[in-house]
């Protein structure tokens, strides 16, 4: 390989990284099954907070995801009267405080799907939700085509979705797109395909307004129906796939 090509490759890698940050971790979903040193597969219907606290309809199982050609593919299904899907988390295994976080993903479509790439505070077991904080890097609901939701939940908002932005992108259902945040001790910027879509920067930062001064872990899931995704669900759309090409962390 000549020096020009090497320099070109190095330059391309440098341009791909957020300014002033280096890649510290990535998940490329290679192999044939999820890495258990990184991921937990959550199961069931969320009880005692049945419906995962949102009146969602799906049962999470081990059978609704696979790794295909370096991608995580979560498949939501309707079998008889039951809906099934997958939800994974990095809780207790991969947790990060501050940095640039991104995922490249392809959305499912249809009335009733609710895919998400998000984060929760690692102290959730001791302080509960929403005091632990929640960062929704990507949410999409099939009943609102062409719209991406970027949101945060805090104790100050009592968990309600008031710190949020709806962004209309007419081609968002076509192919893969990159969803990201740049999280510092002062603010959180949200991006879709490198374009800034929302900034959260409360002037008065207290535990109630800014729980984002501690480690958080990742969640990836495809919910069905629920308070946000439903309540109506079009059964004719299933099966539907939510595909994730990679997740990367820069610090």
């Amino acid at each position: 390989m000549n020096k020009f090509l090497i320099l070109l490759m190095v330059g391309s890698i440098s341009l791909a990284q957020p300014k002033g940050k280096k890649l510290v971790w990535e998940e490329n979903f290679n192999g044939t099954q999820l890495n258990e040193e990184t991921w937990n597969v959550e199961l069931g219907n969320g009880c005692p907070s049945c419906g995962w606290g949102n009146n969602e309809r799906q049962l999470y199982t081990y059978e609704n995801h696979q790794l295909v050609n370096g991608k995580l593919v979560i498949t939501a299904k309707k079998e008889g009267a039951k809906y099934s899907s997958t939800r994974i988390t990095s809780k207790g295994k991969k947790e990060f405080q501050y940095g640039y976080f991104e995922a490249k993903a392809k959305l499912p479509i249809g009335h009733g799907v609710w895919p998400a790439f998000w984060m929760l505070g690692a102290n959730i077991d001791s302080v509960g939700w929403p005091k632990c904080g929640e960062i929704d890097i990507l949410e999409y609901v099939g009943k609102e085509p062409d719209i991406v939701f970027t949101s945060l939940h805090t104790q100050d908002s009592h968990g309600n979705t008031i710190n949020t932005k709806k962004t209309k992108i007419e081609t968002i259902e076509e192919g893969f797109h990159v969803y990201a945040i740049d999280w510092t001790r002062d603010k959180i910027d949200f991006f879709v395909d490198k374009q800034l879509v929302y900034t959260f920067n409360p002037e008065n930062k207290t535990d109630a307004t800014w729980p984002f001064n501690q480690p958080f872990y990742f969640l990836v899931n495809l919910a069905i129906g629920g308070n946000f995704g439903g309540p109506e669900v079009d059964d004719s759309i299933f099966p539907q796939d939510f595909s994730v090409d990679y997740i990367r962390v820069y610090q």
Side-chain angles (χ1 to χ4, degrees):
M1 184 180 292
N2 62 45
K3 292 182 179 180
F4 174 76
L5 287 177
I6 294 174
L7 288 172
L8 182 62
M9 291 175 63
V10 171
S12 298
I13 293 171
S14 299
L15 287 172
Q17 295 187 164
K19 186 176 180 180
K21 295 181 174 66
K22 295 182 179 180
L23 182 66
V24 297
W25 178 77
E26 62 182 326
E27 170 62 271
N28 292 305
F29 298 110
N30 294 321
T32 59
Q33 59 186 10
L34 286 172
N35 182 355
E36 294 184 358
E37 294 183 0
T38 299
W39 299 107
N40 312 293
V41 180
E42 296 196 329
L43 304 175
N45 60 4
C47 289
S49 297
C50 299
W52 298 94
N54 300 299
N55 293 311
E56 299 163 27
R57 300 192 188 188
Q58 78 286 340
L59 181 75
Y60 286 128
T61 80
Y62 277 115
E63 287 72 44
N64 287 74
H65 69 275
Q66 56 184 329
L67 302 190
V68 182
N69 298 324
K71 296 177 179 61
L72 168 67
V73 180
I74 296 176
T75 304
K77 300 177 181 179
K78 172 76 186 302
E79 298 169 307
K82 295 182 179 180
Y83 301 88
S84 59
S85 187
T86 286
R87 167 168 158 150
I88 64 172
T89 88
S90 65
K91 182 181 180 183
K93 297 179 178 180
K94 291 295 179 182
E95 300 173 349
F96 302 93
Q97 181 175 347
Y98 309 136
Y100 189 92
F101 307 83
E102 68 177 12
K104 185 177 181 181
K106 185 177 188 300
L107 300 172
I109 58 173
H111 201 128
V113 297
W114 177 8
F117 168 55
W118 50 304
M119 304 181 77
L120 284 172
N123 64 346
I124 187 171
D125 289 341
S126 60
V127 305
W129 183 93
K131 192 172 182 179
C132 67
E134 176 179 329
I135 307 171
D136 297 325
I137 304 172
L138 158 68
E139 282 187 292
Y140 169 88
V141 289
K143 66 182 180 183
E144 295 194 47
D146 307 329
I147 299 292
V148 170
F149 295 82
T150 47
S151 310
L152 301 109
H153 299 272
T154 65
Q155 184 67 39
D156 181 63
S157 68
H158 304 288
N160 295 323
T161 311
I162 61 175
N163 304 305
T164 186
K165 175 69 181 299
K166 294 171 64 172
T167 303
K168 184 176 180 62
I169 304 172
E170 293 184 355
T171 59
I172 201 65
E173 290 91 356
E174 300 175 12
F176 284 81
H177 296 268
V178 178
Y179 307 90
I181 59 169
D182 191 4
W183 169 25
T184 70
R185 64 179 64 252
D186 298 314
K187 65 177 181 175
I188 303 177
D189 290 327
F190 291 76
F191 300 86
V192 178
D193 292 333
K194 308 299 183 182
Q195 299 299 309
L196 179 67
V197 296
Y198 178 54
T199 296
F200 181 67
N201 184 14
E203 183 176 349
N204 184 25
K205 291 182 173 63
T206 66
D207 287 345
T209 62
W210 187 257
F212 309 110
N213 56 358
Q214 58 154 329
F216 274 59
Y217 62 89
F218 292 115
L219 301 93
V220 182
N221 70 290
L222 173 50
I224 302 169
N227 299 338
F228 190 38
E232 293 82 13
V233 176
D234 178 3
D235 290 344
S236 70
I237 66 173
F238 297 105
Q240 281 291 321
D241 291 339
F242 178 34
S243 300
V244 182
D245 189 2
Y246 63 73
I247 299 172
R248 293 173 182 166
V249 176
Y250 300 85
Q251 291 179 327

